[in-house]
Every structure is written in structure tokens, then in C-alpha cells.
Amino acid sequence: MGIARTAPGAARLPDGRVLIAGGYDGSDELASAEIFDPQTNSFSSAGVGSMAQKRSDLIAAPLPDGRVLVAGGFADGQALNSAEVFDPQTNSFGSAGIGSLGAARGDASGVALQDGRVLVAGGYGTDFLQTAEIYSATNTFASRSAARP
């Protein structure tokens, strides 16, 4: 990688490349991102924009339209509830119209569901979390209990 980083988010892009975003470099959280290309076995940050929010221990999950949801994490010792989306067509991040997590959470798990939604579960806010949220096509997060509506 171009920068040493621990606890970044990673998600596969539709063309097989992998987005690596954020993390911690030993002194601060990172807002930078780079892309791994398995065809060339190389990483590059050339032309890749930075996130609006520096963050480590974040979730990164692919969306059905090819973009990647980036949410939560930690910055300056605080859990985050912000979210943004990476667009591989423009190699940029944006948060316009993207909702926030209902609970600030870092070190959570995020996974794309078959129906295109993203489940964000657990993590740590001011304590360990046993809650989960669903990110949907409406660009919003909604809390979920064990029963599906």
C-alpha cells in the first residue's frame, strides 16, 4: 500500500478492484483511500479522492449500483455516526443525501444483503453495542430488532 494503515475498511468494486479506505497510521486516523488492482497486483491512490471524515475501524460495504457505503468508525477517540459513499465512476466520496447511523459505532460489522440493503451490527460507541441498523436504497439507516418487519 502507499500508506501504512491499520483498521481500514475494504470493499470489492464491481470490476474486481478493491477499495481500501481510512484506517490509522500510528499517529492519526486517515481520510485517504487507495485501490488495489488484482490485475497488476498493485495499489494506487492516484486520482482517488479522500473521505470527508477521517476514520479508522469503519465499515465498507458494496451497494447494488457499484458504489461503496463507508460508515462509522473512530476519529479523535470518539465513535462516529457519519456515513459517506464512494463512487468508483468518479473515484470520489460524497455524503450529500446520505443519512447518519442512529448510533455512533466503530469496529462494527457491515455486510451487503442479497436485496441490496446493508446490515451494520454491533461495534463500540460509549460501550459495547448489541444493536443493528439497516442502510437502504433511500440512503437512510433504520434500527432493527431480531424480528423483520
Side-chain angles (χ1 to χ4, degrees):
M1 290 186 289
I3 298 175
R5 55 179 89 216
T6 186
R12 187 174 176 271
L13 300 172
D15 63 4
R17 296 178 305 148
V18 179
L19 171 70
I20 309 292
Y24 184 75
D25 69 0
S27 63
D28 200 8
E29 290 86 9
L30 302 169
S32 65
E34 51 193 300
I35 294 178
F36 173 73
D37 186 339
Q39 298 290 339
T40 61
N41 242 2
S42 63
F43 291 87
S44 177
S45 59
V48 179
S50 292
M51 294 182 290
Q53 169 73 56
K54 64 182 184 176
R55 56 181 90 223
S56 67
D57 300 284
L58 59 142
I59 70 107
L63 298 170
D65 63 4
R67 299 176 307 150
V68 175
L69 173 68
V70 175
F74 293 108
D76 301 320
Q78 301 294 313
L80 303 171
N81 71 341
S82 62
E84 48 195 298
V85 173
F86 176 77
D87 185 340
Q89 298 298 316
T90 61
N91 279 341
S92 62
F93 291 86
S95 58
I98 306 299
S100 296
L101 290 160
R105 60 179 79 224
D107 204 22
S109 292
V111 65
L113 303 173
Q114 275 188 310
D115 63 6
R117 300 177 302 159
V118 174
L119 171 67
V120 179
Y124 189 88
T126 56
D127 200 353
F128 294 101
L129 299 169
Q130 65 181 42
T131 58
E133 305 181 47
I134 299 277
Y135 178 82
S136 68
T138 61
N139 294 327
T140 58
F141 291 89
S143 295
R144 288 291 177 239
S145 62
R148 184 177 171 139

